[in-house]
Amino acid sequence: MSISTDVIVVGAGASGLAAAVELGRAGLAVTVLEARDRIGGRILTHSDLASGVAIELGAEFIHGLAPEIWQPLQAKNVKITETQGESWCHANGRLSPCDFFSKVERILQRMDATEPDQSFSSFLNRCCPDSKADAQERAARERALAYVIGFNAADPELVGVHWLVKGMRAEERIEGDRAFRARNGYKDLIEIFLQQLTATGVSVRTGVVVHSIAWSSGRVELTASEASVSSKFHARHVLITLPLAVLQAIPGETGAVDFRPALPPGKLEALTKLEMGKVLRISLQFRHRFWDEIPSPDGGPQSLAGMRFLFSQDEWFPTWWTMLPDRAPVMTGWAPFRCAERLSGKSRSFVVDQALQALSRLLNLCPDDLAQLLEAEYFHDWHSDPFSRGAYSYGKVGADGAQEAIASPIENTLFFAGEATDTSGHNGTVHGAIASGVRAAREIMAVNGK
């Protein structure tokens, strides 16, 4: 089977969907090819019909007031709620209200993008030497390290200060320290994209795995398989929105794409300057909010009912959060970097057991009692998923200009989008992915006089 069109979009994640909508509206014939049997990419929402709760297996929070997300949701009158609640910290075997945020902020604000780039670990060792004599300074250092690892899913020995600073400045512009959720999770946004694609006549084909892209100026041939049947797709342009780690994969590996001829050396070099962060997250749904009954550790009259975040140094799941202001009996555990490496590829029962053990340690509960309260668990191993191979991207030392190099079109034929190609500092976010898709679509439209 052979199909011809104006533009082929490879990947139906947020960037691919946003780009396809723009291109379809411009009157171009567009075909979206997605390897999975669903659209959304690293957005994956489970809707629990019994409780009405939207549980995210991938992206969850709307970070700040990004117009790429707010505008389509508000246009459809989707209810958006800001998260709220208290942050608790577990240290030295006890819980207490977190008081490290201002200290961590002071450390992070000392990063300087005008100085030669260095890893976050190097920066931390120079600015804040590990002092055994000053317990508060040591705790602040440890929290700063945990923040960079946890929030960016990054190896502190690899992630670059220049990249971190750019991201911090970008977050400040959209109040990125605030977190929101849509009524039905990111499913609301995906459904809006789907409606727009239908209205513009864009063809979306799922279960189509692209194996190779043969190209010359103004002509592209993709070889793909669909239910073990080989297919060829022809177009004047192709927009590649694959995750960073999939682009980095070796041809022949599941999900990898073989470019013929190979991508230019400059683009291949740029790909080596970014890294895919590792995260495994799990949402545990309980029979009821048992933490409402746990007395406040500080001796006050309140319980942990107002807990939003729980931070710790646990080696398996160091960070947890609730769904406040929604009072659903769900807690989500976050395992970044080394924690994710220990969990990825393991059996479901192993991951669930480690999550229950971690939560029981932090809340001083019996693991068996906690297991008796468990109704369901939800997680997806993104690192072992061949069509993602990780969570989201970050820049290594010396990554300045890498996103621009990856994003740059090749002979007005190959175009690139995806959160790793965002050049504004919003790598690793849904709004960064959407913005990159719109940018790439407009590049294609300009070539076609649209």
Side-chain angles (χ1 to χ4, degrees):
M1 180 175 64
S2 180
I3 297 175
S4 296
T5 188
D6 290 332
V7 184
I8 295 172
V9 178
V10 181
S15 60
L17 298 176
V21 169
E22 291 287 316
L23 294 166
R25 285 173 174 168
L28 293 170
V30 183
T31 298
V32 180
L33 304 180
E34 168 57 46
R36 297 183 174 95
D37 61 0
R38 59 173 182 82
I39 64 172
R42 284 167 278 170
I43 292 173
L44 180 55
T45 307
H46 171 82
S47 298
D48 185 76
L49 299 179
S51 64
V53 175
I55 297 176
E56 301 288 10
L57 282 72
E60 176 172 351
F61 298 109
I62 300 171
H63 296 284
L65 306 177
E68 294 86 359
I69 297 175
W70 280 80
Q71 288 178 0
L73 291 179
Q74 289 183 318
K76 292 293 185 179
N77 296 315
V78 173
K79 182 180 179 181
I80 303 173
T81 305
E82 186 164 9
T83 65
Q84 57 185 245
E86 304 155 355
S87 294
W88 289 88
C89 285
H90 183 275
N92 301 318
R94 62 183 298 271
L95 285 172
S96 61
C98 294
D99 61 357
F100 65 83
F101 297 109
S102 61
K103 297 173 184 176
V104 168
E105 181 69 16
R106 285 196 293 271
I107 291 175
L108 298 180
Q109 289 298 331
R110 292 172 66 178
M111 294 189 296
D112 189 350
T114 65
E115 295 182 352
D117 203 7
Q118 59 183 317
S119 71
F120 184 74
S121 286
S122 296
F123 156 78
L124 202 57
N125 289 334
R126 292 178 183 178
C127 89
C128 317
D130 191 358
S131 173
K132 294 180 173 57
D134 191 329
Q136 288 191 341
E137 285 300 315
R138 187 176 191 185
R141 171 193 163 95
E142 290 176 350
R143 290 297 182 185
L145 185 64
Y147 171 80
V148 168
I149 292 173
F151 189 77
N152 301 288
D155 182 344
E157 299 287 345
L158 295 179
V159 65
V161 163
H162 286 188
W163 181 84
L164 288 169
V165 171
K166 187 175 183 178
M168 286 171 53
R169 300 295 175 258
E171 287 176 22
E172 290 169 0
R173 290 191 289 270
I174 63 167
E175 299 182 45
D177 58 327
R178 299 171 66 186
F180 304 82
R181 292 186 182 93
R183 178 180 55 214
N184 299 306
Y186 269 111
K187 179 181 179 181
D188 283 327
L189 185 63
I190 297 302
E191 289 183 347
I192 291 172
F193 278 134
L194 187 56
Q195 293 168 7
Q196 293 172 336
L197 292 169
T198 301
T200 54
V202 172
S203 173
V204 180
R205 302 177 62 130
T206 57
V208 180
V209 181
V210 175
H211 302 294
S212 67
I213 298 177
W215 65 278
S216 58
S217 184
R219 179 177 174 81
V220 182
E221 180 182 85
L222 284 77
T223 302
S225 61
E226 185 175 6
S228 301
V229 177
S230 181
S231 302
K232 290 190 182 298
F233 298 83
H234 298 88
R236 291 183 289 118
H237 315 286
V238 62
L239 171 56
I240 297 112
T241 71
L242 299 172
L244 171 71
V246 176
L247 283 175
Q248 294 171 330
I250 299 172
E253 295 180 343
T254 303
V257 175
D258 184 14
F259 289 89
R260 304 171 183 172
L263 297 177
K267 194 174 290 287
L268 293 175
E269 181 183 3
L271 286 170
T272 68
K273 294 182 179 181
L274 304 183
E275 190 77 10
M276 199 70 161
K278 301 172 183 176
V279 168
L280 193 147
R281 50 169 290 163
I282 185 169
S283 291
L284 303 178
Q285 184 172 355
F286 297 98
R287 301 185 191 284
H288 61 87
R289 284 171 50 95
F290 63 85
W291 54 96
D292 288 356
E293 303 160 7
I294 299 177
S296 175
D298 61 3
Q302 303 299 319
S303 69
L304 293 183
M307 181 173 65
R308 177 176 62 156
F309 279 101
L310 172 56
F311 298 101
S312 76
Q313 298 293 326
D314 190 84
E315 63 178 353
W316 292 99
F317 286 93
T319 302
W320 291 83
W321 62 79
T322 67
M323 299 191 73
L324 284 179
D326 191 311
R327 297 185 62 79
V330 176
M331 292 192 75
T332 297
W334 183 258
F337 187 36
R338 298 294 186 210
C339 304
E341 290 178 345
R342 286 190 286 268
L343 291 163
S344 182
K346 296 294 194 298
S347 68
R348 186 179 193 86
S349 60
F350 180 86
V351 175
V352 173
D353 183 62
Q354 292 301 331
L356 289 172
Q357 293 280 349
L359 193 56
S360 65
R361 284 192 295 271
L362 300 180
L363 297 180
N364 194 28
L365 300 170
C366 173
D368 290 340
D369 292 343
L370 204 56
Q372 289 297 317
L373 293 173
L374 184 65
E375 279 199 332
E377 68 281 341
Y378 307 94
F379 76 92
H380 182 82
D381 190 343
W382 296 101
H383 186 61
S384 296
D385 184 330
F387 303 120
S388 61
R389 295 174 177 263
Y392 42 82
S393 69
Y394 64 88
K396 297 193 291 188
V397 176
D400 296 346
Q403 286 89 357
E404 290 82 353
I406 298 171
S408 63
I410 302 175
E411 295 188 23
N412 289 332
T413 303
L414 303 186
F415 295 81
F416 297 84
E419 53 86 9
T421 73
D422 175 78
T423 59
S424 64
H426 293 295
N427 309 122
T429 66
V430 174
H431 54 272
I434 294 172
S436 75
V438 173
R439 180 262 309 153
R442 291 174 179 172
E443 291 170 347
I444 297 172
M445 291 156 56
V447 171
N448 287 273
K450 301 291 186 179

